[in-house]
PDB file of all heavy atoms in Angstrom:
ATOM      1  N   GLU B  83     195.875  63.115 215.459  1.00 92.00           N
ATOM      2  CA  GLU B  83     195.589  64.485 215.614  1.00 92.00           C
ATOM      3  C   GLU B  83     195.597  65.180 214.080  1.00 92.00           C
ATOM      4  O   GLU B  83     196.517  64.798 213.237  1.00 92.00           O
ATOM      5  CB  GLU B  83     196.670  65.287 216.201  1.00 92.00           C
ATOM      6  CG  GLU B  83     196.432  66.780 216.575  1.00 92.00           C
ATOM      7  CD  GLU B  83     197.507  67.404 217.500  1.00 92.00           C
ATOM      8  OE1 GLU B  83     198.760  67.084 217.131  1.00 92.00           O
ATOM      9  OE2 GLU B  83     197.262  68.268 218.372  1.00 92.00           O
ATOM     10  N   LYS B  84     194.616  65.988 213.854  1.00 96.00           N
ATOM     11  CA  LYS B  84     194.548  66.585 212.541  1.00 96.00           C
ATOM     12  C   LYS B  84     195.523  67.800 212.326  1.00 96.00           C
ATOM     13  O   LYS B  84     195.576  68.660 213.349  1.00 96.00           O
ATOM     14  CB  LYS B  84     193.057  67.115 212.284  1.00 96.00           C
ATOM     15  CG  LYS B  84     192.103  66.096 211.887  1.00 96.00           C
ATOM     16  CD  LYS B  84     190.830  66.457 211.330  1.00 96.00           C
ATOM     17  CE  LYS B  84     189.940  65.360 210.903  1.00 96.00           C
ATOM     18  NZ  LYS B  84     188.480  65.754 210.889  1.00 96.00           N
ATOM     19  N   PRO B  85     196.210  67.992 211.263  1.00 97.00           N
ATOM     20  CA  PRO B  85     197.148  69.094 211.141  1.00 97.00           C
ATOM     21  C   PRO B  85     196.620  70.299 211.579  1.00 97.00           C
ATOM     22  O   PRO B  85     197.304  71.327 212.102  1.00 97.00           O
ATOM     23  CB  PRO B  85     197.483  68.939 209.693  1.00 97.00           C
ATOM     24  CG  PRO B  85     197.404  67.585 209.296  1.00 97.00           C
ATOM     25  CD  PRO B  85     196.106  67.111 210.031  1.00 97.00           C
ATOM     26  N   GLU B  86     195.486  70.663 211.195  1.00 96.00           N
ATOM     27  CA  GLU B  86     194.799  72.103 211.431  1.00 96.00           C
ATOM     28  C   GLU B  86     194.613  72.274 212.854  1.00 96.00           C
ATOM     29  O   GLU B  86     194.586  73.595 213.368  1.00 96.00           O
ATOM     30  CB  GLU B  86     193.501  72.383 210.469  1.00 96.00           C
ATOM     31  CG  GLU B  86     192.501  71.443 210.631  1.00 96.00           C
ATOM     32  CD  GLU B  86     192.528  70.286 209.695  1.00 96.00           C
ATOM     33  OE1 GLU B  86     193.657  69.853 209.199  1.00 96.00           O
ATOM     34  OE2 GLU B  86     191.550  69.896 209.250  1.00 96.00           O
ATOM     35  N   LEU B  87     194.458  71.294 213.601  1.00 95.00           N
ATOM     36  CA  LEU B  87     194.328  71.405 215.146  1.00 95.00           C
ATOM     37  C   LEU B  87     195.719  71.451 215.701  1.00 95.00           C
ATOM     38  O   LEU B  87     195.947  72.199 216.623  1.00 95.00           O
ATOM     39  CB  LEU B  87     193.560  70.368 215.725  1.00 95.00           C
ATOM     40  CG  LEU B  87     192.033  70.299 215.366  1.00 95.00           C
ATOM     41  CD1 LEU B  87     191.347  69.187 215.964  1.00 95.00           C
ATOM     42  CD2 LEU B  87     191.334  71.557 215.666  1.00 95.00           C
ATOM     43  N   SER B  88     196.580  70.605 215.210  1.00 97.00           N
ATOM     44  CA  SER B  88     197.942  70.550 215.662  1.00 97.00           C
ATOM     45  C   SER B  88     198.645  71.974 215.500  1.00 97.00           C
ATOM     46  O   SER B  88     199.386  72.378 216.512  1.00 97.00           O
ATOM     47  CB  SER B  88     198.642  69.547 214.915  1.00 97.00           C
ATOM     48  OG  SER B  88     200.148  69.559 215.321  1.00 97.00           O
ATOM     49  N   VAL B  89     198.496  72.570 214.486  1.00 97.00           N
ATOM     50  CA  VAL B  89     199.149  73.793 214.234  1.00 97.00           C
ATOM     51  C   VAL B  89     198.553  75.062 215.161  1.00 97.00           C
ATOM     52  O   VAL B  89     199.394  75.877 215.664  1.00 97.00           O
ATOM     53  CB  VAL B  89     199.107  74.243 212.735  1.00 97.00           C
ATOM     54  CG1 VAL B  89     197.614  74.637 212.408  1.00 97.00           C
ATOM     55  CG2 VAL B  89     200.078  75.418 212.379  1.00 97.00           C
ATOM     56  N   VAL B  90     197.467  74.922 215.475  1.00 96.00           N
ATOM     57  CA  VAL B  90     196.832  75.856 216.513  1.00 96.00           C
ATOM     58  C   VAL B  90     197.488  75.695 217.801  1.00 96.00           C
ATOM     59  O   VAL B  90     197.915  76.519 218.582  1.00 96.00           O
ATOM     60  CB  VAL B  90     195.283  75.668 216.569  1.00 96.00           C
ATOM     61  CG1 VAL B  90     194.738  76.479 217.737  1.00 96.00           C
ATOM     62  CG2 VAL B  90     194.647  76.166 215.311  1.00 96.00           C
ATOM     63  N   ARG B  91     197.574  74.321 218.222  1.00 94.00           N
ATOM     64  CA  ARG B  91     198.137  74.002 219.594  1.00 94.00           C
ATOM     65  C   ARG B  91     199.671  74.477 219.589  1.00 94.00           C
ATOM     66  O   ARG B  91     200.083  74.947 220.505  1.00 94.00           O
ATOM     67  CB  ARG B  91     198.008  72.563 219.657  1.00 94.00           C
ATOM     68  CG  ARG B  91     198.691  71.957 220.897  1.00 94.00           C
ATOM     69  CD  ARG B  91     198.398  70.432 221.038  1.00 94.00           C
ATOM     70  NE  ARG B  91     198.875  69.585 220.048  1.00 94.00           N
ATOM     71  CZ  ARG B  91     200.150  69.335 219.637  1.00 94.00           C
ATOM     72  NH1 ARG B  91     201.213  69.937 220.477  1.00 94.00           N
ATOM     73  NH2 ARG B  91     200.469  68.650 218.619  1.00 94.00           N
ATOM     74  N   GLU B  92     200.352  74.091 218.487  1.00 95.00           N
ATOM     75  CA  GLU B  92     201.833  74.476 218.502  1.00 95.00           C
ATOM     76  C   GLU B  92     202.050  75.908 218.573  1.00 95.00           C
ATOM     77  O   GLU B  92     202.929  76.334 219.233  1.00 95.00           O
ATOM     78  CB  GLU B  92     202.499  73.687 217.294  1.00 95.00           C
ATOM     79  CG  GLU B  92     202.622  72.201 217.246  1.00 95.00           C
ATOM     80  CD  GLU B  92     203.599  71.731 218.304  1.00 95.00           C
ATOM     81  OE1 GLU B  92     204.374  72.450 218.838  1.00 95.00           O
ATOM     82  OE2 GLU B  92     203.618  70.391 218.516  1.00 95.00           O
ATOM     83  N   LEU B  93     201.342  76.499 217.759  1.00 96.00           N
ATOM     84  CA  LEU B  93     201.452  77.998 217.733  1.00 96.00           C
ATOM     85  C   LEU B  93     201.368  78.618 219.151  1.00 96.00           C
ATOM     86  O   LEU B  93     202.071  79.397 219.666  1.00 96.00           O
ATOM     87  CB  LEU B  93     200.527  78.699 216.715  1.00 96.00           C
ATOM     88  CG  LEU B  93     200.657  80.241 216.458  1.00 96.00           C
ATOM     89  CD1 LEU B  93     202.012  80.620 215.993  1.00 96.00           C
ATOM     90  CD2 LEU B  93     199.430  80.732 215.729  1.00 96.00           C
ATOM     91  N   GLU B  94     200.150  78.223 219.838  1.00 95.00           N
ATOM     92  CA  GLU B  94     199.906  78.645 221.225  1.00 95.00           C
ATOM     93  C   GLU B  94     201.058  78.186 222.193  1.00 95.00           C
ATOM     94  O   GLU B  94     201.491  79.055 222.894  1.00 95.00           O
ATOM     95  CB  GLU B  94     198.502  78.195 221.615  1.00 95.00           C
ATOM     96  CG  GLU B  94     198.171  78.741 223.006  1.00 95.00           C
ATOM     97  CD  GLU B  94     196.794  78.432 223.431  1.00 95.00           C
ATOM     98  OE1 GLU B  94     195.820  78.337 222.452  1.00 95.00           O
ATOM     99  OE2 GLU B  94     196.601  78.296 224.703  1.00 95.00           O
ATOM    100  N   GLU B  95     201.466  76.939 222.214  1.00 94.00           N
ATOM    101  CA  GLU B  95     202.333  76.432 223.034  1.00 94.00           C
ATOM    102  C   GLU B  95     203.711  77.111 222.884  1.00 94.00           C
ATOM    103  O   GLU B  95     204.428  77.433 223.844  1.00 94.00           O
ATOM    104  CB  GLU B  95     202.595  74.977 222.754  1.00 94.00           C
ATOM    105  CG  GLU B  95     201.561  74.078 223.413  1.00 94.00           C
ATOM    106  CD  GLU B  95     201.866  72.576 223.158  1.00 94.00           C
ATOM    107  OE1 GLU B  95     202.809  72.291 222.422  1.00 94.00           O
ATOM    108  OE2 GLU B  95     200.928  71.741 223.456  1.00 94.00           O
TER     109      GLU B  95
END
Side-chain angles (χ1 to χ4, degrees):
Chain B
E83 189 180 35
K84 287 193 175 158
E86 55 267 38
L87 295 180
S88 175
V89 70
V90 170
R91 178 179 55 74
E92 289 288 349
L93 183 64
E94 182 173 332
E95 282 179 4

